[in-house]
Amino acid sequence: AIIKEQLQDTQGMCEYAIYVQALILRLEGKIQQSLELFQSCSILNPTSSDNLKQVARSLFLLGKHKAAIEVYNEAARFNQKDWEICHNLGVSYIYIKDFKNAEEQLNMALQLNKHGMTYMMLGKIYLIQGNTEKAVEIYKIAVDFFPENTELLTTLGLLYMQLGKYQKAFEHLGNALTYDPNNYKAILAAGSMMQTHGDFDVAMNKYRVAAFTVPESPPLWTNIGMCFFGKKKYVAAISCLKRANYLSPFDWKILYNLGLVHLTMQQYASAFHFLSAAINLQPRMGELYMLLAVALTNLDDADNARRSYEQAVQLDEYVFQGLHLFYNSNPLVNLNFAVLLYNQGDKKEALQQYQEMERKVSVLMESNSNAEFDPELIEMAQKMGAALQAGDSLLWSKPCKEAKNSQRSCSKPTSSQQPLGTNKALGQAMSSAAGYSKSMQLAAVPEKGMECSTSAPSDTPGEAEDENKVEESAEHTQAKEKNSKPRPVAE
C-alpha cells in the first residue's frame, strides 16, 4: 500500500519503490511481472548493476539462461568485482552446459569472495564431467574454509562413500550430524553405511529420525525396505519398496530391489515383471539381464533365459573393457551362464564362459591383491571346473565373512546329467540411498581398519552433482540363507 501511494505521488518514477515491488512479486512467484518491473528500473537507471542483476535473475528463474548470461555480462561492465555476478554467471553457464566458462566464472567468484555455495557449484561441474577426484579436492578445500557447513560436509562424506573410503565418509557425515542432528541427507547416508555392515536395527533407528523430516522420500523407503529384506521380513520389504515405487515410479533401482525380493520369495512371474521394467529404464546393465535370466529359467523359458544371459555377457564385456575395469566386471554373470549351458548339455559353450569368468577373476586379483570372493561363488566355480574338467582349484583369496554373496548359479537340466545348481542367483540389490556409485563388485577393497564390505553401483553422486542430491548412493544387497536368499547391504 505504501509503494502504491509513493508511485502515485511520483507518477511512477520512483526507482526504489518499483524495485521493492518487483522483489515482492518475485517472492510471490510472479516472475514475469517482477521481470517487467526490474526492466523499468533499468530504464530509469541504466547504469545500475543492481538493477541489471535483478533482471538477469528473473530471466534465469524463467529458464532463459542465455538471455540471463547476456544481462549478467552487461552488469559486469559496470561492476567487475561483484562476487554475485561471477557466481550467477557460472551457474547460468552450467545450465547451458558450457562447463569451461562456468568453471572460469566460479573461480573468479572465489577470488573475489570465498563462499560455500560457489564451492558447491564448482564441485558439481567436476561431478557432471565424471571427475570425482577433482570434486573431492574442491570440497576438501571448501570444508577447510567452512568447517561448519553441513551441506559441504555431507556432500564430501557421500563422495567418500562412493570411493569406498568409509572411515573418512563416516567422519564427515558425523561432523555434519554434530552441527545439524536433523540433516536428513547425512542421516540417510550414515544409516546406509550401517546397513551395509548388517546393522539393520541401528540403521532403522536412523531412518525413523529421517522419516519425520522427509516422510515421502523414495530413497528412505527403499532403504527401509531393504532393511526388512535383510531381516527376512519379505512382506514388509515389498510393502516399503512398493511405497518407494509409488513415490518414484521411474527409479530403476527400486524396481531392481523389488525383482530381487520376489526372486527370493520364488515369485518368479512378479520378479520378471519388475526386472523387465528396470531393464526398460536401465538397458545397459548386465546384472539386470542376469537376474531376468534366473526368473525366466524358473518359468521354464530356457530359450529366452539363454538370450538374456547372452545380453548380460555382452554388456558386462563392454563395461569390462572400459575405464572402470575393477568396479564393473562381474565374473558371476559368466559363471551363471556357464551353469545354464552345462545343464542344457552345451559343455563347449559352458567351458568358454567358465574360462571368461576365470579371466575376469584373474584381472580382479591383479588389480587388488586383497580381493576376496564369496565362498558360495568359489564352491560353485570349483564344481563347474570339475564338471568341465577345467580344474577345480583357482587362486581365490580367502572368503570374507561379511561379504556373503548369494548369487548362486543354476538352472533346470534338460538332459539326464546331474544339475549343478538351483538357479536362484540372486544378485546385489541396490537402493538409491546416498548416490549411485557406479560399481557392482564381488570383492570390495576394505578401507584400513574397516570390515570387508561391498561398494555401491550411484547416484552419482553424479547428482551430488545435481542440486546436491547425493542421497542416491546405492545399496547392494547380498546375503546367504537356505536356498541362497540374499542378505542386503546398503550404501
Side-chain angles (χ1 to χ4, degrees):
I2 295 173
I3 289 172
K4 186 176 180 181
E5 181 181 336
Q6 179 70 17
L7 290 175
Q8 286 177 346
D9 292 343
T10 61
Q11 298 181 343
M13 299 298 288
C14 179
E15 177 191 347
Y16 184 70
I18 297 173
Y19 186 93
V20 176
Q21 180 68 64
L23 289 176
I24 292 172
L25 288 171
R26 181 191 290 169
L27 290 173
E28 292 176 346
K30 300 172 183 177
I31 310 298
Q32 183 62 43
Q33 295 177 36
S34 75
L35 171 63
E36 293 169 2
L37 290 179
F38 282 128
Q39 287 173 331
S40 300
C41 290
S42 295
I43 293 171
L44 291 172
N45 186 358
T47 60
S48 170
S49 63
D50 286 336
N51 290 338
L52 290 172
K53 281 195 297 184
Q54 297 301 336
V55 171
R57 178 64 181 165
S58 293
L59 287 169
F60 176 86
L61 292 173
L62 289 169
K64 300 176 181 179
H65 301 116
K66 290 184 179 179
I69 289 172
E70 292 179 6
V71 178
Y72 274 128
N73 283 323
E74 180 70 16
R77 289 198 307 114
F78 297 108
N79 189 352
Q80 296 181 352
K81 293 186 177 182
D82 189 318
W83 163 84
E84 189 179 355
I85 292 176
C86 294
H87 173 86
N88 288 334
L89 260 176
V91 175
S92 299
Y93 277 123
I94 290 176
Y95 277 91
I96 64 170
K97 300 188 186 304
D98 187 349
F99 300 123
K100 182 178 179 181
N101 279 324
E103 183 179 352
E104 180 181 336
Q105 291 296 331
L106 290 172
N107 281 319
M108 286 175 59
L110 288 173
Q111 290 176 6
L112 296 170
N113 184 15
K114 306 293 183 187
H115 200 288
M117 189 187 306
T118 307
Y119 280 112
M120 286 296 301
M121 299 310 297
L122 187 57
K124 178 180 174 180
I125 293 174
Y126 295 124
L127 288 171
I128 292 173
Q129 295 175 325
N131 192 345
T132 307
E133 292 182 358
K134 184 68 174 176
V136 169
E137 290 180 15
I138 292 296
Y139 289 129
K140 284 171 67 177
I141 295 171
V143 167
D144 289 339
F145 278 106
F146 306 99
E148 297 184 14
N149 187 314
T150 55
E151 193 172 9
L152 287 170
L153 287 167
T154 302
T155 303
L156 184 55
L158 292 168
L159 287 175
Y160 277 130
M161 279 183 67
Q162 261 199 303
L163 297 172
K165 298 178 179 179
Y166 297 107
Q167 188 64 42
K168 290 184 178 180
F170 199 81
E171 289 174 7
H172 287 86
L173 293 172
N175 288 337
L177 289 172
T178 300
Y179 295 118
D180 182 9
N182 296 318
N183 187 318
Y184 75 92
K185 292 182 182 180
I187 290 172
L188 269 178
S192 69
M193 287 181 67
M194 296 166 185
Q195 193 172 340
T196 301
H197 293 89
D199 296 330
F200 302 119
D201 291 326
V202 181
M204 291 282 272
N205 288 333
K206 289 287 184 186
Y207 297 147
R208 284 191 184 95
V209 178
F212 284 104
T213 308
V214 282
E216 296 185 356
S217 165
L220 172 66
W221 286 106
T222 303
N223 275 12
I224 292 174
M226 298 321 290
C227 274
F228 281 124
F229 181 63
K231 293 161 69 72
K232 302 182 183 179
K233 296 180 179 179
Y234 301 125
V235 176
I238 288 175
S239 177
C240 293
L241 288 170
K242 285 193 173 179
R243 179 166 183 174
N245 181 239
Y246 172 79
L247 295 169
S248 181
F250 298 111
D251 189 337
W252 68 269
K253 293 179 287 297
I254 298 172
L255 295 166
Y256 183 114
N257 285 341
L258 276 165
L260 180 76
V261 177
H262 283 292
L263 271 182
T264 306
M265 299 181 71
Q266 301 182 14
Q267 296 174 349
Y268 301 113
S270 296
F272 174 83
H273 166 76
F274 289 113
L275 291 169
S276 297
I279 285 173
N280 285 330
L281 296 170
Q282 182 74 9
R284 302 297 299 171
M285 186 174 182
E287 285 81 0
L288 280 169
Y289 289 94
M290 180 185 74
L291 293 184
L292 185 68
V294 173
L296 287 167
T297 304
N298 284 280
L299 291 170
D300 295 323
D301 190 351
D303 292 339
N304 281 323
R306 180 164 180 164
R307 292 190 186 98
S308 188
Y309 272 126
E310 288 171 351
Q311 184 70 13
V313 169
Q314 181 181 347
L315 290 174
D316 197 62
E317 286 178 351
Y318 172 78
V319 178
F320 182 73
Q321 295 169 357
L323 296 176
H324 302 286
L325 183 65
F326 175 74
Y327 292 99
N328 291 303
S329 68
N330 192 344
L332 194 58
V333 173
N334 302 95
L335 179 59
N336 275 351
F337 193 15
V339 173
L340 175 72
L341 293 168
Y342 178 83
N343 288 335
Q344 289 182 339
D346 192 346
K347 292 187 178 181
K348 182 179 178 181
E349 288 291 330
L351 181 60
Q352 290 182 2
Q353 292 301 324
Y354 182 82
Q355 290 171 340
E356 178 66 13
M357 178 210 66
E358 286 185 313
R359 182 180 71 83
K360 290 183 179 180
V361 168
S362 298
V363 174
L364 287 173
M365 294 181 68
E366 288 175 6
S367 303
N368 174 25
S369 59
N370 296 320
E372 297 175 341
F373 298 90
D374 182 76
E376 291 187 33
L377 172 64
I378 298 172
E379 179 186 357
M380 182 54 65
Q382 290 174 339
K383 287 182 180 179
M384 275 299 298
L388 295 170
Q389 298 179 347
D392 59 353
S393 61
L394 295 174
L395 295 177
W396 303 91
S397 60
K398 185 178 180 180
C400 173
K401 293 180 181 179
E402 293 295 326
K404 300 270 187 178
N405 185 337
S406 64
Q407 304 190 50
R408 280 193 184 171
S409 313
C410 58
S411 55
K412 298 188 178 180
T414 56
S415 67
S416 59
Q417 67 188 5
Q418 183 67 26
L420 270 178
T422 55
N423 210 3
K424 294 191 174 81
L426 309 181
Q428 303 143 306
M430 308 160 270
S431 83
S432 40
Y436 172 57
S437 130
K438 311 163 175 74
S439 58
M440 272 301 247
Q441 75 192 68
L442 290 172
V445 189
E447 179 94 350
K448 186 174 182 181
M450 295 286 290
E451 293 181 341
C452 177
S453 58
T454 54
S455 106
S458 63
D459 224 281
T460 131
E463 286 167 34
E465 335 130 85
D466 189 33
E467 307 300 332
N468 316 319
K469 292 181 182 175
V470 266
E471 59 261 14
E472 294 248 326
S473 151
E475 170 178 333
H476 281 225
T477 53
Q478 305 173 319
K480 173 186 175 183
E481 61 170 294
K482 191 176 179 180
N483 293 333
S484 76
K485 295 177 183 175
R487 172 178 64 78
V489 278
E491 287 211 21

